[in-house]
Amino acid sequence: MAAAALYTFTMSKPATLGAVPNDSAAKKHHNKNGKGFTNPWDSWRDFNPISLMGTMVGGMVTGKTRWPDTTPPTVTVIEPKFLATREESTTLRATWLGHACYYVEFPGGLRVLFDPVFEERCSPFSFMGPKRYTKVPCHIKDLPIVDVVAISHSHYDHLSHPTILEIQKRHPKAQFVVGLGLKKWFNDTGIENVVEMDWWDDVDLTMSPTSGEKRISTTSSTTPTSSSDITARISCLPCQHISARSPFDKAHTLWASWAIESGGKKVWFGGDTGYRAVPELPKDVDDYGPEYADLPHCPAFKEIGELRGPFDLGLIPIGAYDPRWIMSPMHANPFDSANIFVDTKCKRAMAIHWGTWVLTTEDVLEPPMLLKKAMKGKGLPETGVFDVCDIGESRDF
């Protein structure tokens, strides 16, 4: 359907357009006796946020928990170089803008921004909360085109109110795609160009570069309706995480990963996810060792790979995992990340969710070192397949 005006968006209800698991109709991730959502797998372990905070604070008081050193040098930050026009987009090109934020330029001209947060702090407050130890590589005004903004979930390191307002100001036609329940937050912010989706929902996007209008339906395909059209299929897919923007709305909105296909290339964005819940173990014990190798892992990633893959590029989280027994249900460590890479059938991958804010206690440069070890342990190349890069760096795929 065509957008009625510059700041409004009309669409039919998202629908399942691709293959899905046999049990998808059961909607097991929907809470049956209350509001919101859950992770419906044995690989998930729920937690009490107050107890979690108490454990972390107690560890700092006793000296068992120490925040990592962020003294420079840490992660190199360079000024990104974007393609100024759609006509220049002949390959799949991805630029890391820090933490989970990636700017992806698809062949044919579609431009997608994932989990943008451009503020100094990932916090509801501008004066407190985690502060960047690596600088922001650019500003929203430097992005030449933004067509789609995909949001994985509502946590402050993935969804920023000031950033969203600035995107809407500078790119008023940008289409936001979010998980169920988050549309109201955007509407309350004054943004109407938002589509909320459930796991395994799809929408087909058609853009006319001459009129600048976007049209979304659930019946068309990714085949252009005219030679000048840009088309894409956007798919909301599972991950293992949680959501909240206050102590009172835990799991009220849906967390998700995203797949976007356009110009003959397909990208999977993991957003923020765990893979398996690990018990509290001594620091020198490998939780992938023989005794723990059979701990349940999230089956959704193999389903994504088998039903919606393969993907030309995966954007996969590798950081914010220590203390492991606390963080493992919702944050992957690099050994989990390597398994997610294989499960989702990504041909190549780039690492996200590290190098920007101190959210947990691992050393800030540990994730990329462990990623090499994890890839080698799976018999895969240490570099050239699942890589890290400088903040602001672009890679072609």
Side-chain angles (χ1 to χ4, degrees), residues 79-360:
E79 182 181 354
K81 299 186 183 303
F82 306 114
L83 302 178
T85 65
R86 298 188 193 276
E87 289 71 26
E88 295 175 76
S89 297
T90 57
T91 62
L92 179 64
R93 191 168 184 266
T95 305
W96 187 34
L97 300 181
H99 199 54
C101 182
Y102 248 92
Y103 182 74
V104 179
E105 299 160 298
F106 284 83
L110 182 75
R111 308 291 179 91
V112 179
L113 189 60
F114 293 98
D115 279 6
V117 178
F118 284 78
E119 276 62 60
E120 281 295 302
R121 297 185 187 272
C122 58
S123 165
F125 310 105
S126 61
F127 56 89
M128 63 180 292
K131 186 177 182 179
R132 288 179 184 266
Y133 63 86
T134 48
K135 66 180 182 178
V136 64
C138 66
H139 299 282
I140 295 165
K141 64 180 178 62
D142 301 317
L143 302 177
I145 305 166
V146 177
D147 297 311
V148 175
V149 182
I151 303 295
S152 66
H153 67 294
S154 66
H155 284 158
Y156 286 89
D157 57 324
H158 297 258
L159 176 60
S160 162
H161 184 257
T163 288
I164 295 302
L165 288 178
E166 185 68 10
I167 291 171
Q168 175 70 356
K169 175 183 174 182
R170 295 188 177 274
H171 302 278
K173 298 176 186 176
Q175 174 65 52
F176 295 85
V177 291
V178 302
L180 288 181
L182 259 181
K183 182 176 181 178
K184 183 180 184 302
W185 184 91
F186 280 81
N187 291 165
D188 290 346
T189 303
I191 295 173
E192 299 296 329
N193 296 351
V194 56
V195 179
E196 66 177 18
M197 300 165 65
D198 201 353
W199 290 351
W200 303 105
D201 277 349
D202 310 276
V203 290
D204 282 340
L205 173 70
T206 302
M207 289 172 41
S208 169
T210 55
S211 66
E213 294 179 347
K214 298 181 178 67
R215 300 186 299 279
I216 278 190
S217 73
T218 58
T219 57
S220 64
S221 70
T222 54
T223 303
T225 56
S226 75
S227 59
S228 62
D229 280 348
I230 295 172
T231 62
R233 174 160 291 180
I234 302 171
S235 304
C236 180
L237 298 171
C239 65
Q240 182 172 293
H241 199 58
I242 201 72
S243 65
R245 289 185 74 79
S246 78
F248 312 106
D249 65 345
K250 178 185 171 185
H252 285 195
T253 61
L254 185 61
W255 48 98
S257 66
W258 293 94
I260 298 184
E261 181 178 6
S262 184
K265 294 288 187 177
K266 191 186 297 187
V267 173
W268 180 70
F269 174 69
D272 199 351
T273 187
Y275 188 68
R276 59 205 287 268
V278 173
E280 187 171 10
L281 300 171
K283 196 72 173 175
D284 59 346
V285 174
D286 178 10
D287 61 64
Y288 271 105
E291 188 177 352
Y292 305 101
D294 294 329
L295 287 175
H297 63 271
C298 181
F301 302 106
K302 276 198 173 180
E303 293 174 338
I304 289 169
E306 290 169 358
L307 298 171
R308 300 301 184 92
F311 299 95
D312 297 286
L313 173 64
L315 303 173
I316 301 177
I318 67 167
Y321 50 77
D322 192 61
R324 176 80 164 140
W325 69 276
I326 294 175
M327 306 307 299
S328 60
M330 54 187 168
H331 285 167
N333 79 356
F335 297 93
D336 298 328
S337 307
N339 282 320
I340 292 171
F341 168 74
V342 172
D343 286 355
T344 52
K345 297 187 177 180
C346 292
K347 299 174 185 177
R348 299 275 302 280
M350 298 300 296
I352 63 171
H353 208 263
W354 75 285
T356 308
W357 292 289
V358 170
L359 303 176
T360 48

